[in-house]
Amino acid sequence: MAIEVPVEHVLLVAAALFLLGLLGVLVRRNIIFLLMSLEVMMNSAGLAFIAAGAKWGAPDGQIMFMLILALAAAEVAVALGLVLQISRRFDTLDVDAASELNG
Amino acid sequence: MTLDLALFWIPAAVALVATGFVITRKNAAHALIYLVVSLLSVAVIFFVLGAPFAAALEVVIYAGAIVVLFLFVVMMLNLGNTSVMRESRWLRPGMWVGPAILVSILLITMVYVIVGLPDANVTKGEMVGPKAVGNELFRPYLLAVELAGFLLLAALIGAYHLGRRYLEQRREP
């Protein structure tokens, strides 16, 4: 059994989670924390999709969530490879250290 | 109805508080633990909303695989007390003011829009089980599944390439 919740409440929680993630991206300089905040933002987008799916009693919301999950997994795999390279090259996790292009 | 709302808002409050701790911690390992708590409480919300399959995926893939990947990197980089001290140098309290104001403006706008939605937007309160999801996923959404496969393959190759050590030797000539 599942319960009946107003969709507005779920969307409010999703918006608040998304904005907390955005705040983390804006404030932090450590690249690992930036990636964690990005995960929080993607997770909140998934929550909004699940809420929409629950509103209509349709499986589409869960399917979109699974696609977001695949996206998050792909993103985190590549990004953590980049983290390792940045920490090897610059000996820091500061994103500003890697602010210049160098061919 | 009140009990229903409590069932939703308790995990939601836990998720919000834990996420707040994620973005304010200075030690990456502590932040990861709070991230797990946040993801697990979102999984509870999924279950409450009648999406048990999504809740299971959230626990297995997000809280399991992705956070473990983060933990591996944090352990490989061997972040200790020095990094915590460096983090507190980067994270001065004054830095929170500007972004927090901007984000609260966005929050106010979003609350205004969401509260203004037409009435009677209540979730159906019925479970959408794995069978329905699988039926839908492998019929109309088959192309999206294959595209996700492409994306994961590209990520695999990219992560393999970035993780190799030879890139390191090509640094400054």
Short mmCIF file of all heavy atoms in Angstrom, two decimals, chain B residues 35-73:
data_model
loop_
_atom_site.label_atom_id
_atom_site.label_comp_id
_atom_site.label_asym_id
_atom_site.label_seq_id
_atom_site.Cartn_x
_atom_site.Cartn_y
_atom_site.Cartn_z
N LEU B 35 25.72 11.92 3.11
CA LEU B 35 25.11 11.73 1.79
C LEU B 35 24.36 10.40 1.74
O LEU B 35 23.26 10.32 1.18
CB LEU B 35 26.21 11.77 0.72
CG LEU B 35 25.73 11.70 -0.72
CD1 LEU B 35 24.84 12.88 -1.04
CD2 LEU B 35 26.90 11.67 -1.68
N VAL B 36 24.94 9.36 2.37
CA VAL B 36 24.24 8.07 2.41
C VAL B 36 22.91 8.22 3.15
O VAL B 36 21.87 7.71 2.70
CB VAL B 36 25.11 6.99 3.07
CG1 VAL B 36 24.32 5.74 3.28
CG2 VAL B 36 26.32 6.70 2.23
N VAL B 37 22.93 8.93 4.28
CA VAL B 37 21.68 9.12 5.03
C VAL B 37 20.65 9.85 4.18
O VAL B 37 19.48 9.45 4.11
CB VAL B 37 21.96 9.92 6.32
CG1 VAL B 37 20.66 10.24 7.03
CG2 VAL B 37 22.88 9.14 7.23
N SER B 38 21.09 10.88 3.47
CA SER B 38 20.17 11.64 2.62
C SER B 38 19.58 10.75 1.54
O SER B 38 18.37 10.75 1.31
CB SER B 38 20.93 12.82 2.02
OG SER B 38 20.25 13.34 0.94
N LEU B 39 20.43 9.95 0.89
CA LEU B 39 19.93 9.09 -0.19
C LEU B 39 18.99 8.02 0.34
O LEU B 39 17.96 7.72 -0.29
CB LEU B 39 21.11 8.43 -0.92
CG LEU B 39 22.02 9.40 -1.66
CD1 LEU B 39 23.24 8.68 -2.20
CD2 LEU B 39 21.29 10.06 -2.79
N LEU B 40 19.30 7.48 1.51
CA LEU B 40 18.41 6.46 2.08
C LEU B 40 17.06 7.05 2.43
O LEU B 40 16.02 6.42 2.23
CB LEU B 40 19.05 5.82 3.31
CG LEU B 40 20.23 4.88 3.04
CD1 LEU B 40 20.75 4.31 4.34
CD2 LEU B 40 19.81 3.76 2.12
N SER B 41 17.04 8.28 2.96
CA SER B 41 15.74 8.85 3.31
C SER B 41 14.96 9.19 2.05
O SER B 41 13.72 9.08 2.05
CB SER B 41 15.89 10.06 4.23
OG SER B 41 16.93 10.86 3.80
N VAL B 42 15.65 9.57 0.97
CA VAL B 42 14.92 9.77 -0.29
C VAL B 42 14.36 8.43 -0.79
O VAL B 42 13.25 8.38 -1.33
CB VAL B 42 15.84 10.43 -1.34
CG1 VAL B 42 15.17 10.45 -2.70
CG2 VAL B 42 16.15 11.84 -0.92
N ALA B 43 15.10 7.34 -0.54
CA ALA B 43 14.57 6.02 -0.91
C ALA B 43 13.29 5.72 -0.12
O ALA B 43 12.34 5.16 -0.68
CB ALA B 43 15.63 4.95 -0.65
N VAL B 44 13.27 6.11 1.16
CA VAL B 44 12.04 5.92 1.95
C VAL B 44 10.89 6.72 1.34
O VAL B 44 9.76 6.24 1.25
CB VAL B 44 12.28 6.32 3.42
CG1 VAL B 44 10.99 6.27 4.19
CG2 VAL B 44 13.31 5.41 4.04
N ILE B 45 11.19 7.95 0.90
CA ILE B 45 10.15 8.76 0.26
C ILE B 45 9.62 8.05 -0.98
O ILE B 45 8.41 8.00 -1.21
CB ILE B 45 10.69 10.15 -0.11
CG1 ILE B 45 11.08 10.92 1.13
CG2 ILE B 45 9.64 10.94 -0.86
CD1 ILE B 45 11.66 12.27 0.84
N PHE B 46 10.53 7.48 -1.78
CA PHE B 46 10.09 6.75 -2.98
C PHE B 46 9.14 5.62 -2.59
O PHE B 46 8.11 5.42 -3.23
CB PHE B 46 11.29 6.15 -3.72
CG PHE B 46 12.13 7.15 -4.44
CD1 PHE B 46 13.32 6.77 -5.03
CD2 PHE B 46 11.73 8.46 -4.55
CE1 PHE B 46 14.08 7.68 -5.71
CE2 PHE B 46 12.50 9.39 -5.21
CZ PHE B 46 13.69 8.99 -5.80
N PHE B 47 9.51 4.91 -1.53
CA PHE B 47 8.67 3.79 -1.11
C PHE B 47 7.30 4.29 -0.68
O PHE B 47 6.27 3.71 -1.02
CB PHE B 47 9.36 3.04 0.03
CG PHE B 47 8.84 1.66 0.20
CD1 PHE B 47 9.29 0.63 -0.62
CD2 PHE B 47 7.90 1.37 1.16
CE1 PHE B 47 8.81 -0.64 -0.48
CE2 PHE B 47 7.40 0.10 1.31
CZ PHE B 47 7.86 -0.91 0.49
N VAL B 48 7.30 5.39 0.08
CA VAL B 48 6.03 5.96 0.56
C VAL B 48 5.16 6.40 -0.61
O VAL B 48 3.94 6.26 -0.58
CB VAL B 48 6.35 7.14 1.50
CG1 VAL B 48 5.14 8.01 1.69
CG2 VAL B 48 6.82 6.61 2.85
N LEU B 49 5.80 6.89 -1.68
CA LEU B 49 5.04 7.36 -2.84
C LEU B 49 4.58 6.22 -3.73
O LEU B 49 3.95 6.46 -4.75
CB LEU B 49 5.89 8.33 -3.67
CG LEU B 49 6.14 9.70 -3.05
CD1 LEU B 49 7.06 10.51 -3.93
CD2 LEU B 49 4.84 10.43 -2.84
N GLY B 50 4.91 4.98 -3.37
CA GLY B 50 4.44 3.85 -4.16
C GLY B 50 5.34 3.50 -5.32
O GLY B 50 4.87 3.07 -6.35
N ALA B 51 6.66 3.71 -5.15
CA ALA B 51 7.61 3.32 -6.20
C ALA B 51 8.66 2.40 -5.59
O ALA B 51 9.81 2.82 -5.41
CB ALA B 51 8.26 4.56 -6.83
N PRO B 52 8.31 1.16 -5.24
CA PRO B 52 9.25 0.31 -4.51
C PRO B 52 10.49 -0.04 -5.33
O PRO B 52 11.59 -0.17 -4.78
CB PRO B 52 8.43 -0.95 -4.20
CG PRO B 52 7.35 -0.95 -5.19
CD PRO B 52 7.03 0.48 -5.48
N PHE B 53 10.31 -0.18 -6.66
CA PHE B 53 11.47 -0.54 -7.48
C PHE B 53 12.49 0.59 -7.51
O PHE B 53 13.69 0.36 -7.38
CB PHE B 53 10.98 -0.88 -8.89
CG PHE B 53 12.02 -1.49 -9.75
CD1 PHE B 53 12.74 -2.59 -9.32
CD2 PHE B 53 12.28 -0.99 -11.01
CE1 PHE B 53 13.71 -3.16 -10.11
CE2 PHE B 53 13.25 -1.56 -11.81
CZ PHE B 53 13.97 -2.65 -11.36
N ALA B 54 11.99 1.82 -7.65
CA ALA B 54 12.90 2.96 -7.63
C ALA B 54 13.59 3.08 -6.28
O ALA B 54 14.77 3.43 -6.21
CB ALA B 54 12.13 4.24 -7.96
N ALA B 55 12.87 2.76 -5.20
CA ALA B 55 13.48 2.82 -3.87
C ALA B 55 14.62 1.82 -3.77
O ALA B 55 15.71 2.14 -3.27
CB ALA B 55 12.42 2.53 -2.80
N ALA B 56 14.39 0.60 -4.29
CA ALA B 56 15.45 -0.41 -4.24
C ALA B 56 16.66 0.03 -5.06
O ALA B 56 17.81 -0.10 -4.63
CB ALA B 56 14.92 -1.74 -4.76
N LEU B 57 16.39 0.61 -6.26
CA LEU B 57 17.51 1.07 -7.09
C LEU B 57 18.27 2.18 -6.40
O LEU B 57 19.50 2.26 -6.50
CB LEU B 57 16.98 1.56 -8.43
CG LEU B 57 16.60 0.49 -9.44
CD1 LEU B 57 16.09 1.15 -10.69
CD2 LEU B 57 17.81 -0.35 -9.76
N GLU B 58 17.53 3.05 -5.72
CA GLU B 58 18.19 4.16 -5.02
C GLU B 58 19.17 3.62 -3.97
O GLU B 58 20.29 4.09 -3.85
CB GLU B 58 17.13 5.04 -4.36
CG GLU B 58 17.68 6.12 -3.46
CD GLU B 58 17.78 7.44 -4.16
OE1 GLU B 58 17.32 7.54 -5.30
OE2 GLU B 58 18.34 8.37 -3.55
N VAL B 59 18.72 2.59 -3.23
CA VAL B 59 19.60 2.04 -2.19
C VAL B 59 20.78 1.34 -2.85
O VAL B 59 21.94 1.54 -2.47
CB VAL B 59 18.82 1.07 -1.29
CG1 VAL B 59 19.77 0.37 -0.34
CG2 VAL B 59 17.77 1.81 -0.52
N VAL B 60 20.51 0.50 -3.86
CA VAL B 60 21.58 -0.35 -4.41
C VAL B 60 22.58 0.48 -5.19
O VAL B 60 23.79 0.35 -5.01
CB VAL B 60 20.96 -1.46 -5.29
CG1 VAL B 60 22.05 -2.22 -6.00
CG2 VAL B 60 20.14 -2.39 -4.43
N ILE B 61 22.08 1.35 -6.09
CA ILE B 61 23.00 2.03 -7.00
C ILE B 61 23.53 3.33 -6.41
O ILE B 61 24.73 3.56 -6.36
CB ILE B 61 22.33 2.26 -8.36
CG1 ILE B 61 22.01 0.90 -8.98
CG2 ILE B 61 23.26 3.03 -9.28
CD1 ILE B 61 21.38 0.96 -10.30
N TYR B 62 22.62 4.19 -5.93
CA TYR B 62 23.10 5.46 -5.37
C TYR B 62 23.86 5.23 -4.07
O TYR B 62 25.06 5.49 -3.97
CB TYR B 62 21.93 6.41 -5.10
CG TYR B 62 21.81 7.54 -6.09
CD1 TYR B 62 20.69 7.69 -6.87
CD2 TYR B 62 22.83 8.45 -6.23
CE1 TYR B 62 20.58 8.72 -7.77
CE2 TYR B 62 22.73 9.49 -7.12
CZ TYR B 62 21.60 9.62 -7.88
OH TYR B 62 21.48 10.63 -8.78
N ALA B 63 23.15 4.76 -3.06
CA ALA B 63 23.78 4.63 -1.74
C ALA B 63 24.82 3.52 -1.75
O ALA B 63 25.78 3.56 -0.98
CB ALA B 63 22.71 4.34 -0.68
N GLY B 64 24.68 2.54 -2.62
CA GLY B 64 25.67 1.48 -2.68
C GLY B 64 26.81 1.84 -3.60
O GLY B 64 27.87 2.25 -3.16
N ALA B 65 26.58 1.75 -4.91
CA ALA B 65 27.68 1.82 -5.86
C ALA B 65 28.32 3.20 -5.93
O ALA B 65 29.54 3.34 -5.82
CB ALA B 65 27.18 1.40 -7.23
N ILE B 66 27.50 4.24 -6.10
CA ILE B 66 28.08 5.55 -6.38
C ILE B 66 28.84 6.08 -5.17
O ILE B 66 29.97 6.58 -5.28
CB ILE B 66 26.97 6.52 -6.84
CG1 ILE B 66 26.48 6.08 -8.22
CG2 ILE B 66 27.47 7.93 -6.89
CD1 ILE B 66 25.41 6.94 -8.80
N VAL B 67 28.24 5.94 -3.97
CA VAL B 67 28.91 6.45 -2.78
C VAL B 67 30.17 5.64 -2.49
O VAL B 67 31.18 6.18 -2.04
CB VAL B 67 27.94 6.46 -1.58
CG1 VAL B 67 28.66 6.80 -0.31
CG2 VAL B 67 26.86 7.47 -1.83
N VAL B 68 30.13 4.32 -2.79
CA VAL B 68 31.34 3.51 -2.59
C VAL B 68 32.45 3.98 -3.52
O VAL B 68 33.62 4.04 -3.15
CB VAL B 68 31.01 2.02 -2.78
CG1 VAL B 68 32.26 1.20 -2.89
CG2 VAL B 68 30.19 1.53 -1.61
N LEU B 69 32.07 4.36 -4.77
CA LEU B 69 33.05 4.91 -5.71
C LEU B 69 33.70 6.16 -5.12
O LEU B 69 34.93 6.31 -5.14
CB LEU B 69 32.33 5.24 -7.00
CG LEU B 69 33.08 5.09 -8.31
CD1 LEU B 69 33.57 3.68 -8.44
CD2 LEU B 69 32.17 5.44 -9.46
N PHE B 70 32.86 7.04 -4.55
CA PHE B 70 33.40 8.24 -3.89
C PHE B 70 34.36 7.85 -2.77
O PHE B 70 35.44 8.42 -2.64
CB PHE B 70 32.26 9.05 -3.29
CG PHE B 70 31.68 10.07 -4.22
CD1 PHE B 70 30.45 9.89 -4.79
CD2 PHE B 70 32.37 11.22 -4.52
CE1 PHE B 70 29.91 10.82 -5.64
CE2 PHE B 70 31.85 12.16 -5.37
CZ PHE B 70 30.61 11.95 -5.93
N LEU B 71 33.94 6.85 -1.97
CA LEU B 71 34.77 6.45 -0.83
C LEU B 71 36.11 5.93 -1.31
O LEU B 71 37.15 6.23 -0.71
CB LEU B 71 34.06 5.38 -0.01
CG LEU B 71 33.29 5.86 1.20
CD1 LEU B 71 32.68 4.69 1.92
CD2 LEU B 71 34.22 6.61 2.14
N PHE B 72 36.11 5.14 -2.41
CA PHE B 72 37.37 4.64 -2.95
C PHE B 72 38.31 5.79 -3.28
O PHE B 72 39.49 5.77 -2.94
CB PHE B 72 37.12 3.83 -4.22
CG PHE B 72 36.73 2.41 -3.96
CD1 PHE B 72 35.92 1.72 -4.84
CD2 PHE B 72 37.19 1.76 -2.83
CE1 PHE B 72 35.54 0.43 -4.60
CE2 PHE B 72 36.82 0.46 -2.59
CZ PHE B 72 36.00 -0.20 -3.47
N VAL B 73 37.75 6.82 -3.95
CA VAL B 73 38.61 7.93 -4.36
C VAL B 73 39.11 8.68 -3.13
O VAL B 73 40.29 9.03 -3.05
CB VAL B 73 37.83 8.86 -5.31
CG1 VAL B 73 38.58 10.15 -5.52
CG2 VAL B 73 37.64 8.16 -6.63
#
